[in-house]
């Protein structure tokens, strides 16, 4: 049996005539007769009473029709959805924390104005974990900061931010310019290893022959800001996170010789992944982030 057999049975039941059923389905009358005969052989009973001028469902035929109508309805609904699968499939985004806090909401707002019916799933994780999720095929696109990931990826840079070295105004060395050696000997309040901020700092120090030994290590940037405001040490954080306490005078920015830190933001997707229309649209909105003032 096939769906075509069921469609023919329904058409014959609705029209009460093999010829009209054939016309409705744009097939020959012999094809209709053959399909009904196959169904009856499969069922082991007659499905229609052949009357002089029409055919009518037998009781067995009515039972079968009741079974197949929901099947055909589901298939027809699927056929409708089949033509617009791209518009129904969820877009899965994985984003680093800073991008999710300061860039992604406005980008998604603009995206949803273009494609309001696309389901969107967002996971906010560390930059390293974002690439792992993308590598495992559990996300369509990753938004990460720091160095561009290595591997079979296409990386689209869309913004950047400077990292500020900050401390409380009453921290003992607040008004001095530090050397790298002096900086590394201070009480440092740093993000955890594997975070984009920490990786950028560690890479810069490594190239100059130094290593940071933090007093605090935290996955939470707000905790580091509060610790710095309390005079517990020196923090290295994105400008978007410390601009407010800097403007309020609760933190001040330090200068470190030969240490200028900046993180670039990338939209990353697998180079072999099929680019759906929603994914292309989202990537376009990502590239507009800076020009639209989203950063």
């Amino acid at each position: 049996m096939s769906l075509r057999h069921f469609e023919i049975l329904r058409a014959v039941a609705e029209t009460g005539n093999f010829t009209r059923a054939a016309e409705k389905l744009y097939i020959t009358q012999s094809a209709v007769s053959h399909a009904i005969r196959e169904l009856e052989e499969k069922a082991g009973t007659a499905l229609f009473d052949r009357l002089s001028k029409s055919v009518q469902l037998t009781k067995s035929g009515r039972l079968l029709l009741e079974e197949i109508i929901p099947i055909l309805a589901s298939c027809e609904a699927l056929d409708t959805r089949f033509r617009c699968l791209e518009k129904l499939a969820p877009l899965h985004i994985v984003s680093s924390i800073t991008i999710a806090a300061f860039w992604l909401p406005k980008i998604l707002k603009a995206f949803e104005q273009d494609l309001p019916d696309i389901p969107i799933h967002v996971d906010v994780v560390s930059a390293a974990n974002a690439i792992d999720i993308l590598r495992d095929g559990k996300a369509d696109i990753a938004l990460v900061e720091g160095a561009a990931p290595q591997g079979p990826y296409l990386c689209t840079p869309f913004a950047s931010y400077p990292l500020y070295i900050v401390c409380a105004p009453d921290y003992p060395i607040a008004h001095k310019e530090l050397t790298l050696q002096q900086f590394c000997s201070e009480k440092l309040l740093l993000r955890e290893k594997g975070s984009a901020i920490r990786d950028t700092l560690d890479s810069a120090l490594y190239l100059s022959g130094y290593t940071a030994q933090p007093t605090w290590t935290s996955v939470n940037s707000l905790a580091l800001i509060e610790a710095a405001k309390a005079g517990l040490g020196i923090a290295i954080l994105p400008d978007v996170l410390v601009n407010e306490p800097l403007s309020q005078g609760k933190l001040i920015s330090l200068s470190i010789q030969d240490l200028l830190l900046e993180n670039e933001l990338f939209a990353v997707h697998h180079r072999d992944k099929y680019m759906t229309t929603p994914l292309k649209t989202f990537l376009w909105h990502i590239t507009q982030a800076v020009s639209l003032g989203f950063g």
Side-chain angles (χ1 to χ4, degrees), residues 108-261:
L108 283 179
K109 186 70 173 179
F111 171 82
E112 289 177 348
Q113 289 178 353
D114 282 349
L115 298 174
D117 297 325
I118 298 295
I120 299 172
H121 299 160
V122 178
D123 286 329
V124 180
V125 298
S126 69
N129 287 341
I131 296 303
D132 289 340
I133 293 171
L134 184 70
R135 183 183 300 113
D136 292 341
K138 296 178 181 178
D140 299 305
I141 192 166
L143 306 181
V144 300
E145 51 197 292
Q150 300 299 309
Y153 307 115
L154 295 177
C155 302
T156 303
F158 65 92
S160 63
Y161 63 77
L163 292 171
Y164 281 12
I165 303 165
V166 297
C167 66
D170 57 355
Y171 189 75
I173 58 161
H175 302 288
K176 299 178 183 178
E177 181 180 63
L178 300 179
T179 65
L180 282 174
Q181 183 176 7
Q182 290 171 331
F183 168 74
C184 290
S185 66
E186 290 295 327
K187 296 177 181 178
L188 301 181
L189 315 172
L190 303 181
R191 286 291 304 272
E192 79 286 1
K193 284 185 175 295
S195 70
I197 296 169
R198 179 66 179 275
D199 287 349
T200 297
L201 173 65
D202 285 349
S203 296
L205 293 178
Y206 177 79
L207 293 174
S208 299
Y210 294 97
T211 302
Q213 300 294 334
T215 302
W216 279 45
T217 300
S218 175
V219 298
N220 190 310
S221 296
L222 179 59
L224 299 178
I225 291 174
E226 293 302 317
K229 287 161 61 176
L232 300 180
I234 299 172
I236 296 89
L237 292 167
D239 63 331
V240 290
L241 291 179
V242 297
N243 278 335
E244 183 175 347
L246 284 172
S247 65
Q248 295 171 343
K250 296 178 181 179
L251 291 175
I252 63 170
S253 178
L254 292 176
S255 176
I256 309 298
Q257 294 176 12
D258 303 317
L259 188 63
L260 293 175
L261 302 174

Side-chain angles (χ1 to χ4, degrees), residues 28-43:
T28 65
Q29 180 178 336
S30 61
V32 171
S33 299
H34 181 71
I36 297 301
R37 186 165 57 251
E38 286 182 331
L39 281 173
E40 290 178 329
E41 289 175 357
K42 183 73 173 178

Side-chain angles (χ1 to χ4, degrees), residues 75-129:
C75 290
E76 288 162 358
L78 174 60
D79 184 63
T80 300
R81 296 194 300 272
F82 197 82
R83 304 171 196 277
C84 55
L85 288 177
E86 280 197 358
K87 296 181 179 180
L88 297 171
L91 180 63
H92 191 167
I93 303 162
V94 60
S95 173
S96 66
I97 298 168
T98 303
I99 296 175
F102 294 96
W103 279 268
L104 185 56
K106 292 181 180 179
I107 292 169
L108 283 179
K109 186 70 173 179
F111 171 82
E112 289 177 348
Q113 289 178 353
D114 282 349
L115 298 174
D117 297 325
I118 298 295
I120 299 172
H121 299 160
V122 178
D123 286 329
V124 180
V125 298
S126 69
N129 287 341

